[in-house]
Amino acid sequence: MAGGVGGARLADGLARAHRTTVGDDPGVPPDLTAVVNTGDDAEIHGLWISPDLDTVMYTLAGLENRTQGWGLEGETFTVHEAMGALGVDTWFLLGDRDLATHVARTAARRTGEPLSTTTARLAAALGVPARLLPVTDDRLATVVDTPDGTLDFQDYFVRRRHADPVRGVRFEGAEVARPAPGVLDALRDADVLVVAPSNPVLSIAPLLSVPGVRQALESRSAPCVAVSPIIGGRALKGPAAEVLTALGHEPSARGVARMYAGLVDVLVVDHADAAQRADIEDLGMRVVVTDAVMRDRPDRARLAREVLAAVQELRS
Ligand code: FO1
């Protein structure tokens, strides 16, 4: 279960960990399904953008911009610059090759194709060695309540640089959204469930808000391991710590554990948070203390192997 950058990196680590086990034979793809947040989706310049799906897709395809995490490595911005010259408000940075994804997705949507079908097609075309599932094909829109009013997610996050105080976060459409085909089966049939180090409020909560998803986790038969996105009281990326605090959660690994109580069997935390082990264990979870930062590609596979080792330990 994944949001954007953290989810993409751990998913890639799981695919890489599998590759080092079975070898690089493309005939043996990892049996990996990423269920991805779509609450961040936005319509920009008339195009349907699915930032988290694209971040996971590009990362699993080995194409991601490694510095910023989203977008493509070696991207050019000719269209973006030309639109700026036309006086278009270009607050959302769209690269030339990235635009191809958005044009293709938008065109498919116009024909009535569900997002899950389009995603499978695009991911296959890019050689993604995993199944990518949007959590829902229906509308799911994360909105942020601020003193200046309710903001669409990308407006809050990118245009206003997540600087507004957050009073609430809501997932519009969630009550009537249906899980995309395959999502509940994937959660039910998995050998291991992994909650990626994504923002618990902005990335994982929208997944859980889709009817049936939280229940599938609560009634899981497979072990579920989550990786804390909060390290030493801070998020590696984005406003997770600030948003947790604003919504009354503790911005710590322990705070994340409280949010995941009942859903998760093991929480992987960083060495910086080792002192919280006993508190987290009191919530009914095992704790694995490790280096939870994914700095480069080998690091992703290392963390993924530790996640899988935690499951082995739980089983034995
Ligand atoms: N994030 C930014 O901070 N600034 C951008 O201009 C931006 C453009 C963008 C374009 C395509 C895409 O797939 C993602 C993009 N992101 C950008 C990331 C996006 O806002 C993500 O939703 C957040 O990083 C949260 O996961």
Side-chain angles (χ1 to χ4, degrees):
M1 281 151 279
V5 178
R9 289 181 174 160
L10 189 59
D12 183 50
L14 288 163
R16 283 170 192 279
H18 169 86
R19 232 169 282 154
T20 52
T21 313
V22 303
D24 236 340
D25 181 354
V28 191
D31 190 1
L32 175 66
T33 301
V35 177
V36 183
N37 174 39
T38 52
D40 294 14
D41 287 16
E43 189 179 324
I44 292 174
H45 313 313
L47 298 174
W48 186 10
I49 322 279
S50 291
D52 285 357
L53 273 176
D54 288 347
T55 298
V56 177
M57 180 168 76
Y58 294 154
T59 304
L60 280 165
L63 299 170
E64 84 284 9
N65 179 309
R66 284 191 238 169
T67 320
Q68 63 193 12
W70 51 268
L72 290 151
E73 190 72 32
E75 184 61 287
T76 55
F77 295 92
T78 308
V79 174
H80 181 82
E81 284 158 18
M83 289 183 79
L86 290 172
V88 175
D89 187 356
T90 52
W91 58 276
F92 201 73
L93 194 59
L94 292 169
D96 296 326
R97 283 191 301 143
D98 189 28
L99 273 165
T101 304
H102 311 314
V103 170
R105 179 186 292 118
T106 306
R109 184 185 201 182
R110 295 240 165 92
T111 70
E113 185 174 86
L115 178 61
S116 53
T117 308
T118 312
T119 302
R121 236 169 4 86
L122 299 180
L126 292 180
V128 167
R131 197 153 65 117
L132 272 194
L133 295 177
V135 64
T136 180
D137 282 332
D138 299 328
R139 177 171 177 269
L140 178 68
T142 300
V143 296
V144 181
D145 293 322
T146 75
D148 270 3
T150 299
L151 304 175
D152 290 341
F153 181 78
Q154 296 300 342
D155 206 12
Y156 157 76
F157 195 92
V158 174
R159 195 205 288 256
R160 297 167 70 110
R161 297 165 197 267
H162 44 78
D164 297 81
V166 174
R167 294 205 169 142
V169 174
R170 291 177 289 119
F171 310 116
E172 288 184 355
E175 318 76 56
V176 289
R178 294 153 301 174
V183 166
L184 295 185
D185 293 343
L187 297 176
R188 193 193 52 224
D189 299 341
D191 296 317
V192 181
L193 295 156
V194 181
V195 180
S198 299
N199 186 320
V201 173
L202 298 176
S203 299
I204 303 300
L207 292 179
L208 298 175
S209 74
V210 174
V213 174
R214 174 182 282 276
Q215 294 80 345
L217 272 195
E218 282 169 349
S219 60
R220 68 195 174 281
S221 48
C224 182
V225 185
V227 179
S228 173
I230 303 287
I231 295 181
R234 300 188 50 204
L236 290 176
K237 204 171 183 306
E242 293 78 359
V243 173
L244 286 178
T245 307
L247 298 181
H249 303 287
E250 187 181 274
S252 66
R254 182 172 44 225
V256 172
R258 287 194 187 117
M259 298 179 74
Y260 290 160
L263 303 176
V264 159
D265 305 296
V266 181
L267 186 68
V268 177
V269 307
D270 192 77
H271 292 295
D273 302 310
Q276 295 173 27
R277 177 192 283 272
D279 289 352
I280 298 171
E281 284 173 347
D282 281 348
L283 294 163
M285 280 172 217
R286 291 213 188 181
V287 177
V288 170
V289 178
T290 185
D291 173 2
V293 184
M294 292 177 278
R295 290 170 200 82
D296 52 22
R297 287 175 169 164
D299 242 7
R300 300 174 187 171
R302 173 198 51 81
L303 188 59
R305 277 193 294 270
E306 294 186 52
V307 164
L308 298 175
V311 174
Q312 290 299 343
E313 204 166 301
L314 200 66
R315 286 201 171 117
S316 59

